[in-house]
Amino acid sequence: MAEELKGTTVAFLVAQKGTEQVELTEPWKSVEACGGKPVLISTESGTVQAFDHLDRADTFPVDVRLEDARVPDYDALVLPGGVANPDFLRTSEPAVRFVRSFFDAGKPVAAICHAPWTLIEADVVRGRTLTSYPSVRTDIINAGGTWIDEGVVTCRDGDNTLITSRKPDDLAAFNAALVAEVAQFAHTGVG
């Protein structure tokens, strides 16, 4: 397992504030543990402020500013949740374009908790089955998606793979699906 993602680079897109820390750090550790390289991308340079629910947690250094990030440099995209993080990202046209570009390129995308808000804004939910934090259910349905209440949902649609999860309690399943799909993409070129 330690080499499953060797040679892969996974983008983690977050806003400057509001990311649920564990939804950033646990998938990050899984990518690293399997030999992949996680890269933190944000709308501004410097650091991002993570949260443990509503309490400030740690800060993390930004590796690449969004305006300098290029989709061809990454094998997959992870969208951590929290409430404020995806709410800010969905109002950022560069962030929305970046997310949509991963689908256009047929690369795997993984989103947890409230992160499907950014997917909705990128207009990539229609016709897909996914899960999220329960309060995002109606938004997904209104955007043309099918919402199901499961710990992790992997939706394969043509060349695209979308991995979604509900909340931090589902991180083990989310991380396993993320690693499996990125490894498959790295070996076959099909997301």
Side-chain angles (χ1 to χ4, degrees), residues 25-187:
T25 58
E26 292 305 307
W28 184 285
K29 289 175 190 173
S30 290
V31 168
E32 283 184 324
C34 293
K37 177 185 176 189
V39 175
L40 186 60
I41 299 171
S42 189
T43 53
E44 301 292 330
S45 59
T47 59
V48 297
Q49 175 67 61
F51 283 77
D52 180 9
H53 302 293
L54 299 176
D55 299 323
R56 284 183 185 268
D58 298 325
T59 59
F60 298 90
V62 173
D63 295 314
V64 178
R65 282 187 1 198
L66 179 58
E67 68 183 40
D68 299 322
R70 295 176 1 96
V71 172
D73 295 338
Y74 307 99
D75 298 292
L77 173 65
V78 175
L79 298 169
V83 176
N85 179 52
D87 194 43
F88 176 80
L89 291 176
R90 69 181 173 166
T91 65
S92 165
E93 185 52 39
V96 171
R97 263 194 321 270
F98 190 69
V99 170
R100 190 178 310 116
S101 294
F102 273 84
F103 284 88
D104 293 345
K107 295 183 176 189
V109 175
I112 186 168
C113 194
H114 289 77
W117 275 340
T118 309
L119 300 174
I120 291 166
E121 194 64 33
D123 196 25
V124 295
V125 168
R126 186 173 321 285
R128 292 192 166 98
T129 300
L130 58 156
T131 194
S132 67
Y133 196 75
S135 64
V136 182
R137 174 181 180 247
T138 301
D139 299 326
I140 290 170
I141 292 168
N142 288 341
T146 300
W147 187 89
I148 57 177
D149 187 15
E150 292 184 11
V152 67
V153 174
T154 300
C155 179
R156 291 179 188 86
D157 177 16
D159 291 337
N160 295 118
T161 299
L162 175 61
I163 305 138
T164 53
S165 205
R166 299 174 299 195
K167 56 190 172 188
D169 290 346
D170 301 324
L171 276 166
F174 179 75
N175 294 341
L178 169 66
V179 168
E181 296 302 326
V182 174
Q184 178 178 329
F185 177 77
H187 293 106

